[in-house]
Amino acid sequence: MLKIGNVEMNNNVVLAPMAGVCNPAFRLIAKEFGCGLVCAEMVSDKAILHGNQRTLEMLFVDEREKPLSLQIFGGDRESLVEAVKFVDKNTNADIIDINMGCPVPKVTKCDAGARWLLDPAKIYEMVSYAVDAAEKPVTVKMRIGWDDEHIYAVENARAVERAGGAAVSVHGRTREQLYTGYANWDIIKDVKEAVSIPVIGNGDVFSPEDAERMLAHTGVDGVMIGRGALGNPWMLYRTVHYLTTGEKLPDPNPGEKMRIAMLHMDRLINLKGEGQAVREMRKHLAWYLKGLPDAARVKTELMEMTRRADVARRLDEYVESLADLEAAVQTEDIPAVVH
């Protein structure tokens, strides 16, 4: 069980707030696959205050997704506080999260995201004002540091706690690493030992066994899964089940993968219309197909498609071809591939 402020989750598995991924279409699937808490992709404080239509649409929360955390980024105190107030009063999110981990230059150049990692005093000030402005719990997602010479994870987490933050999520990489190398779970452990608020660990969790190892190694209260869930919401379900029962569930078959991929697409179509949804789904379809036989050729064809019907037809043909191949192997019409 994971509890953040007054918000209780059914389990301690959390979906990371991935940009370009965690819209309501995917978040709802994650929730249906048992995820305890889902996090929306980050939105700009200034875009909220300017009334940007696309940004305001990103603040939509389906009741079936709850509990849910909405994430804001910004570097200016006044605009961040006003954006926090807006989200607090005008959305049905359960938690407001402040991003201080995004490594991309267009964010850090605005003194936002990972730029905060260099200044524990600023973290304390900004989080204090955000907490005072909101009735909902305020949390922070951060990286362990800016680079190997500037790792202030413990100091930064303590600043969040002193400021009244309800929890902190820690990605075990520096800003300089981006998504390369390995996540440093030892520093996540140091953070957990340094604060009394809930700590959620993030980084290099690609299997249920990874989640179990992170919990055992760091003592964190929750495990955040990001890239491991791309095209693979079963990872969330299998992790919840494994942590609860110790039982390892099998991976889904290709037919089940393509069924959920089409459910994902249909929900995205309802949100954004067919043209935009099919284009956005191309990257997701590549993730759903990852590791399956003869997937490269299918991916290439899907990248050119613009209509739902064409995608559905091609995926149906693909699943049927795999079933035919399996049947041929079982009847020994062709030799099985030895791995």
Side-chain angles (χ1 to χ4, degrees):
M1 185 73 72
L2 175 63
K3 185 176 182 181
I4 296 175
N6 59 354
V7 182
E8 291 189 14
M9 275 56 80
N10 291 331
N11 56 68
N12 59 354
V13 176
V14 182
L15 177 69
M18 294 174 284
V21 172
C22 291
N23 51 51
F26 185 67
R27 297 194 313 249
L28 183 54
I29 289 173
K31 181 62 68 172
E32 291 168 342
F33 275 69
C35 199
L37 175 67
V38 295
C39 302
E41 56 188 313
M42 67 179 186
V43 295
S44 161
D45 58 350
K46 289 183 168 56
I48 292 173
L49 300 182
H50 292 157
N52 179 275
Q53 187 60 37
R54 179 175 175 273
T55 297
L56 296 180
E57 289 172 357
M58 291 170 69
L59 299 179
F60 169 76
V61 178
D62 187 314
E63 281 294 318
R64 294 172 293 174
E65 301 176 71
K66 293 165 66 67
L68 177 138
S69 171
L70 280 177
Q71 188 181 75
I72 302 172
F73 74 91
D76 175 74
R77 189 185 76 192
E78 286 75 17
S79 60
L80 183 71
V81 167
E82 290 306 310
V84 166
K85 288 180 180 178
F86 182 90
V87 171
D88 190 56
K89 301 300 182 187
N90 296 283
T91 78
N92 58 342
D94 302 278
I95 296 166
I96 300 172
D97 189 62
I98 298 174
N99 181 295
M100 48 182 264
C102 181
V104 300
K106 71 177 182 179
V107 172
T108 58
K109 285 179 180 177
C110 299
D111 205 24
R115 194 72 190 175
W116 290 28
L117 299 172
L118 293 166
D119 192 349
K122 176 173 181 173
I123 291 169
Y124 173 77
E125 178 188 20
M126 298 284 271
V127 175
S128 294
Y129 279 105
V131 169
D132 289 343
E135 294 182 9
K136 303 179 192 292
V138 174
T139 62
V140 165
K141 184 172 190 295
M142 68 180 193
R143 286 176 175 249
I144 57 172
W146 181 260
D147 54 30
D148 288 342
E149 284 71 48
H150 301 86
I151 294 180
Y152 306 142
V154 169
E155 297 92 325
N156 290 340
R158 284 175 172 161
V160 171
E161 182 176 37
R162 289 198 312 274
V168 60
S169 301
V170 185
H171 182 174
R173 287 180 172 83
T174 64
R175 183 265 171 189
E176 186 179 57
Q177 279 183 273
L178 301 178
Y179 298 95
T180 64
Y182 297 98
N184 189 324
W185 290 3
D186 290 336
I187 295 177
I188 297 177
K189 179 181 180 181
D190 292 341
V191 170
K192 173 58 188 170
E193 293 174 349
V195 298
S196 58
I197 57 175
V199 176
I200 299 168
N202 178 217
D204 292 351
V205 178
F206 294 104
S207 70
E209 294 87 344
D210 289 340
E212 182 183 52
R213 282 193 292 271
M214 173 179 274
L215 287 166
H217 184 87
T218 66
V220 289
D221 304 277
V223 176
M224 181 174 279
I225 298 172
R227 289 176 294 160
L230 295 176
N232 187 21
W234 298 270
M235 165 61 179
L236 303 168
Y237 176 74
R238 293 173 70 238
T239 299
V240 171
H241 187 82
Y242 181 68
L243 294 178
T244 304
T245 70
E247 179 187 11
K248 298 178 184 179
L249 295 175
D251 287 322
N253 61 45
E256 174 65 5
K257 281 195 166 189
M258 297 309 104
R259 184 182 74 81
I260 296 301
M262 286 307 303
L263 173 64
H264 188 167
M265 175 178 286
D266 286 339
R267 286 177 173 169
L268 205 54
I269 289 171
N270 289 337
L271 284 172
K272 303 188 176 187
E274 182 177 25
Q276 183 176 346
V278 172
R279 289 192 299 273
E280 284 194 22
M281 273 301 296
R282 290 170 180 168
K283 63 185 178 186
H284 292 281
L285 290 168
W287 290 325
Y288 279 107
L289 286 162
K290 186 177 180 181
L292 295 178
D294 197 29
R297 181 165 55 87
V298 181
K299 290 178 195 174
T300 300
E301 295 176 26
L302 293 172
M303 294 305 120
E304 302 299 322
M305 294 180 181
T306 58
R307 296 172 54 232
R308 180 205 183 275
D310 294 334
V311 173
R313 174 188 51 76
R314 185 64 187 94
L315 293 181
D316 285 345
E317 292 172 353
Y318 174 64
V319 171
E320 186 176 339
S321 72
L322 293 182
D324 291 343
L325 178 63
E326 179 67 21
V329 169
Q330 291 178 356
T331 59
E332 297 184 347
D333 288 343
I334 61 173
V337 177
V338 178
H339 295 285

